[in-house]
Amino acid sequence: YIGASNAGNLPIHRFPMKNIARIIQGGFRFLTAKFVLRKCQTGRIVTVRGLPRIDANGVIKIGDKVKIWSHIHTTQLSTGKNGLLEIGDGTFINVGSVISARKHIQIGKNCQIANQVILMDDDFHGLTDRNKNPDPEPIIIEDDVWLATRSTILKGVRIGKGAVVAAGAVVTHDVAPYTLVGGVPARFIKSLK
């Protein structure tokens, strides 16, 4: 503890060393975000843990108090030349996630994106003709959504407010608000209200 005592040996101020370490760590993550996300439009108090890969060929907009972790596996945020990636206030993106916007991906406020989640609004090649690039379709993730570990969200999908996508699920169709989906392809499991 850092502090002083008065004549009666009562502590005037106690400040544990772990709090000092957290403040230093937070400051370092804030400064890292300023450097790593320099090609992005960022809000207030955005922090980064580790070094994510950022390919901002289009526009990446990051809201206030967003946390991006990339310390165990590399997190990747990318936009194509005409792409727009929007990440809402208070959203957390965990390690190893890949978010690739060739047209538009919108992630709402206070979303939780777990380890190794994939969001891609483009197939990058055709099914039968590998040289043909099909049109991308937007992905919309509404507020308060939780995408669990290794879930995959494919192009043209809207995930409703408060929904949860189970670990390992592959989402190919819209998800209603406040529902839990899981499986490959993802199907309704239960209502969360």
Side-chain angles (χ1 to χ4, degrees):
Y1 290 101
I2 296 175
S5 299
N6 61 15
N9 290 328
L10 296 173
I12 294 173
H13 177 69
R14 288 181 173 238
F15 199 73
M17 292 301 289
K18 68 180 180 180
N19 288 344
I20 293 173
R22 285 183 183 157
I23 290 168
I24 292 169
Q25 211 173 45
F28 181 74
R29 290 176 183 170
F30 176 77
L31 293 174
T32 300
K34 287 290 185 190
F35 175 73
V36 172
L37 303 175
R38 65 190 178 279
K39 294 182 179 179
C40 305
Q41 299 172 22
T42 58
R44 298 177 302 109
I45 316 173
V46 174
T47 56
V48 168
R49 182 176 181 189
L51 295 173
R53 179 178 173 181
I54 308 297
D55 294 320
N57 299 310
V59 176
I60 299 176
K61 295 181 180 180
I62 301 172
D64 298 339
K65 298 182 181 178
V66 170
K67 296 179 196 173
I68 301 169
W69 284 13
S70 183
H71 60 290
I72 298 170
H73 299 288
T74 303
T75 297
Q76 301 174 51
L77 305 179
S78 71
T79 52
K81 187 173 80 169
N82 299 314
L84 171 61
L85 170 57
E86 299 175 286
I87 302 170
D89 298 345
T91 288
F92 172 62
I93 300 173
N94 212 336
V95 298
S97 292
V98 177
I99 303 173
S100 177
R102 294 296 168 260
K103 183 172 186 177
H104 185 208
I105 295 178
Q106 178 183 331
I107 300 170
K109 296 179 181 179
N110 303 312
C111 292
Q112 300 293 312
I113 299 178
N115 303 11
Q116 300 175 351
V117 168
I118 297 173
L119 289 97
M120 295 188 306
D121 69 355
D122 193 351
D123 295 328
F124 298 99
H125 58 75
L127 182 61
T128 55
D129 182 357
R130 304 290 192 273
N131 296 317
K132 183 179 179 186
N133 191 8
D135 293 331
E137 297 175 38
I139 294 174
I140 306 297
I141 310 293
E142 295 182 7
D143 297 344
D144 303 313
V145 168
W146 176 21
L147 305 178
T149 301
R150 293 188 177 169
S151 58
T152 301
I153 314 303
L154 298 181
K155 70 181 190 176
V157 167
R158 174 183 287 269
I159 298 183
K161 179 178 173 67
V164 176
V165 176
V170 177
V171 182
T172 59
H173 299 296
D174 292 354
V175 175
Y178 300 104
T179 57
L180 169 64
V181 299
V184 180
R187 300 187 195 295
F188 174 86
I189 295 174
K190 68 176 186 176
S191 176
L192 299 175
K193 272 200 150 188

